Amino acid sequence: MPALSIHSLTKKYDSHPRVVAISFDVPRGVICGFVGPNGSGKTTTMRMLLGLVKPSSGSAEILGCPLTEPSSYLAKVGAMIEGPAFYPKLSAHKNLQYLQRVSGARVDHGSIEEALARVGLAGRGQENYRGFSLGMKQRLGIAAALMSAPELLILDEPTNGLDPVGAREIRELIIELAQQGFTIFISSHLLEELELMCDYFVMIDAGRIAFVGSARTLRSTQEQTLVVQPEYDVDLSLLVHLALNQGYLTRVENEYLQIFQTRDQGAEFNRLASEAGITLKHLQITTPSLAQIFFKAQRE
Amino acid sequence: MSGLLFSISWRVARGDLLKLRQPRLLVGVLVTLTIFTAAMNYVSFHKRSDQSLLAGYELSLSFFGVLVICLCASLTAQDFSQGTLRNLYLRAPHRLGIMCGKFLAAALFIFTLNVYLVALSLICAHLHGESFANHSLAAIAQEALRGFLGNCALGVIGGALGFIFASAVIAIGVGLLWSLVIESVLTASEPRIAPWLPIVNCINLAQSSQKGLAHMTLVHSASVTAGYLALILAIGFVIFSRSEIS
């Protein structure tokens, strides 16, 4: 049973569709990156999954429970959506204590301190939330999401406002949580960051799903670029002829030859060059980054 | 269903009491009420001699009522403006339960403040040399209970305004404008409609010795207040249950 199973979920505002009949599954135990440009419907989708917004049509199951009954699954879901939100005049500790009380759990000061320490806020619990930096607020938001030991974490831009060290710490924490069996559904506009931790992706653009699948599938569907450089510059034109004869698209940039739309053909081209008496000084296969894949998908 | 509603209401109320207990808010409210009530007691005992022990308390109830409207409006509306409502909903996914919990917390807070005001007024009366022998405990309890019920009604109005407008500034503004200006103008310009105005009836419910409105019985005020509360709560719930939580 997938952690999330969404069927034709649609949200319209005044007949303007924000999310258009999206359907996808997120398997359990993965870190799923939810990728899309601003205004593509990421947050609206997350808000629908949490019962904060009613969908216009469609259905979904969250941890096997229907979307229409948020009370049946929300106790098993930890979430930080649209940034952290806490009472500014209460301390971090009191804010988490408030959430423990509201969730019906017994107030456990030890677990609160543990949650704070887990996100790097050890010793800062008695400070007022109002005085926190944006990064500290984000960390407190993640601590609050982790407090109920959820099976599914839904995080909207969790590293927003964090410095590189803080972002790496949160990334490591998310990877650690996934290793413990949590399913994490995470949106971010920092694609490089998602690339480092996600093993599953859902791409959304203008409210429509552009891709759903594992990171490996995503990359395997992408064409690679072969970058080669002959030992002697005079051989470059010969290499171009070789590539064109094989039907490849090519481009020469400085003393490098780029051969597009290849798929694991590095060895074959190396052999061809060798048979033609050309020694290659440099041979590199480049795979597009998530950002490049994403921008390409957007253009298409 | 009712068990779940009660459970969620109680959880929300416990959470909100943590907010209401924050030292700056609590001390601020207590200091303000102490100064005002002490002043009202001083004025009351120096101007009149034939009065109840809680005369100062009754005089301070109008001010307390205004404070209660502001507190309850901000208690509910701030969750919308600060975005904390989504935290609340994710842990207590029951909108009626959230509403009831907030009103329960407000009622407990008003009860505590009311007890404090009564005690303060009794201390002031004692310091002024008033004899307790001429007053029955039942009469004092009845006055205190009326004060509590009247202010609870004002608190419900304030809290419902918070749910309706989802903004503390607007909810407090509308509450104050209605209670301090509009009802005063309406009462002055058309005295016949005064017995049918919500705040007038809440105050009448709270103050047993209110003058000039002798034709408004306790039953009348309680009935009119109940009607208004039912109406504003229904509007608040319909709006809250249909609104998106952002």
Side-chain angles (χ1 to χ4, degrees):
Chain A
M1 181 178 52
L4 291 174
S5 188
I6 293 166
H7 320 284
S8 304
L9 207 59
T10 298
K11 180 65 188 174
K12 289 179 183 172
Y13 287 103
D14 301 329
S15 78
H16 297 294
R18 184 72 60 86
V19 173
V20 187
I22 59 169
S23 298
F24 62 88
D25 284 355
V26 175
R28 284 181 186 249
V30 300
I31 305 178
C32 175
F34 194 32
V35 187
N38 290 339
S40 59
K42 297 192 299 291
T43 303
T44 304
T45 305
M46 287 180 152
R47 288 173 69 200
M48 282 194 281
L49 295 178
L50 293 168
L52 302 173
V53 169
K54 282 181 187 151
S56 305
S57 63
S59 63
E61 281 99 47
I62 294 96
L63 300 170
C65 305
L67 181 68
T68 46
E69 292 168 29
S71 56
S72 62
Y73 62 83
L74 281 180
K76 296 179 274 183
V77 177
M80 186 179 75
I81 189 123
E82 291 182 288
F86 294 97
Y87 298 109
K89 289 176 185 169
L90 292 185
S91 68
H93 187 103
K94 278 264 186 334
N95 265 300
L96 295 187
Q97 194 182 333
Y98 170 85
L99 295 179
Q100 267 192 342
R101 280 188 174 197
V102 168
S103 60
R106 209 169 59 84
V107 173
D108 178 1
H109 298 285
S111 73
I112 292 174
E113 287 305 322
E114 197 180 304
L116 288 171
R118 205 170 190 184
V119 295
L121 288 177
R124 313 295 295 266
Q126 298 311 318
E127 292 178 28
N128 268 12
Y129 176 72
R130 189 169 44 178
F132 274 16
S133 67
L134 181 57
M136 289 164 76
K137 288 176 179 173
Q138 287 287 122
R139 286 165 191 262
L140 187 61
I142 295 169
L146 293 174
M147 283 271 290
S148 55
E151 290 175 36
L152 170 67
L153 265 178
I154 296 181
L155 302 173
D156 188 15
E157 308 274 1
T159 54
N160 222 3
L162 294 178
D163 56 32
V165 177
R168 195 189 63 205
E169 285 171 6
I170 295 300
R171 200 166 57 231
E172 286 169 358
L173 175 66
I174 288 169
I175 292 170
E176 186 192 317
L177 291 170
Q179 284 165 351
Q180 290 168 15
F182 288 83
T183 306
I184 298 158
F185 188 57
I186 178 172
S187 83
S188 176
H189 64 276
L190 300 172
L191 300 177
E192 298 79 12
E193 193 148 299
L194 288 183
E195 200 166 14
L196 290 170
M197 59 178 154
C198 295
D199 35 26
Y200 202 84
F201 285 100
V202 175
M203 281 186 174
I204 185 170
D205 190 22
R208 289 179 165 81
I209 293 296
F211 173 83
V212 180
S214 67
R216 181 177 294 189
T217 311
L218 180 64
R219 291 208 179 81
S220 69
T221 58
Q222 302 303 313
E223 280 150 348
Q224 299 161 334
T225 302
L226 194 61
V227 182
V228 292
Q229 183 189 19
E231 188 179 16
Y232 303 107
D233 291 350
V234 289
D235 291 335
L236 192 58
S237 56
L238 208 57
L239 272 181
V240 172
H241 275 115
L242 265 178
L244 289 174
N245 285 342
Q246 296 296 316
Y248 293 127
L249 290 172
T250 62
R251 188 172 74 187
V252 175
E253 199 169 290
N254 300 326
E255 58 269 33
Y256 291 95
L257 170 67
Q258 292 179 334
I259 305 168
F260 300 107
Q261 296 174 1
T262 65
R263 202 162 287 168
D264 298 326
Q265 279 140 330
E268 187 191 329
F269 196 78
N270 192 17
R271 196 182 63 248
L272 281 173
S274 177
E275 283 170 3
I278 304 166
T279 308
L280 295 180
K281 193 164 104 181
H282 178 96
L283 188 148
Q284 185 190 6
I285 297 167
T286 61
T287 310
S289 67
L290 183 60
Q292 287 167 324
I293 296 169
F294 181 69
F295 291 133
K296 187 179 160 205
Q298 260 193 296
R299 281 198 302 272
E300 286 166 359
Chain B
M1 184 64 187
S2 60
L4 177 71
L5 176 67
F6 179 78
S7 158
I8 288 184
S9 302
W10 179 237
R11 278 154 45 184
V12 173
R14 283 186 68 223
D16 272 11
L17 284 173
L18 190 76
K19 275 187 340 191
L20 290 168
R21 257 180 25 209
Q22 54 182 298
R24 192 177 290 184
L25 173 71
L26 192 59
V27 171
V29 169
L30 288 180
V31 167
T32 311
L33 283 178
T34 304
I35 293 170
F36 195 82
T37 308
M40 286 297 109
N41 272 284
Y42 179 81
V43 170
S44 136
F45 285 117
H46 279 82
K47 293 248 169 181
R48 293 158 54 192
S49 53
D50 55 332
Q51 57 192 333
S52 81
L53 279 173
L54 292 180
Y57 163 73
E58 288 212 10
L59 279 177
S60 60
L61 276 178
S62 303
F63 175 72
F64 184 35
V66 170
L67 196 71
V68 160
I69 290 178
C70 297
L71 267 176
C72 293
S74 101
L75 182 70
T76 54
Q78 273 187 344
D79 277 314
F80 289 89
S81 47
Q82 290 171 344
T84 42
L85 190 62
R86 57 178 181 266
N87 274 347
L88 188 56
Y89 181 79
L90 292 177
R91 286 156 183 88
H94 197 295
R95 295 185 191 224
L96 184 58
I98 291 175
M99 264 188 106
C100 292
K102 289 201 167 281
F103 287 124
L104 182 59
L108 291 171
F109 192 65
I110 292 167
F111 178 79
T112 310
L113 292 179
N114 197 56
V115 168
Y116 174 75
L117 279 186
V118 170
L120 190 67
S121 296
L122 291 176
I123 290 169
C124 286
H126 176 69
L127 291 176
H128 190 257
E130 289 290 318
S131 168
F132 283 57
N134 302 331
H135 304 272
S136 76
L137 193 62
I140 292 173
Q142 193 189 4
E143 278 187 64
L145 181 66
R146 284 185 67 166
F148 168 65
L149 291 176
N151 278 299
C152 273
L154 291 171
V156 169
I157 291 172
L161 288 174
F163 278 110
I164 291 168
F165 294 107
S167 156
V169 176
I170 298 174
I172 291 172
V174 169
L176 292 183
L177 186 71
W178 181 268
S179 57
L180 298 178
V181 180
I182 296 176
E183 285 213 5
S184 303
V185 171
L186 288 173
T187 308
S189 59
E190 192 54 74
R192 281 180 307 169
I193 62 167
W196 303 103
L197 294 174
I199 306 296
V200 168
N201 277 286
C202 288
I203 301 288
N204 194 52
L205 188 62
Q207 295 175 324
S208 59
S209 63
Q210 193 176 16
K211 305 296 177 197
L213 295 167
H215 53 290
M216 285 169 62
T217 64
L218 183 62
V219 174
H220 168 87
S221 286
S223 309
V224 173
T225 302
Y228 275 115
L229 293 190
L231 179 69
I232 199 165
L233 280 175
I235 294 170
F237 180 68
V238 168
I239 290 176
F240 179 47
S241 61
R242 290 185 177 188
S243 66
E244 294 188 343
I245 297 174
S246 56

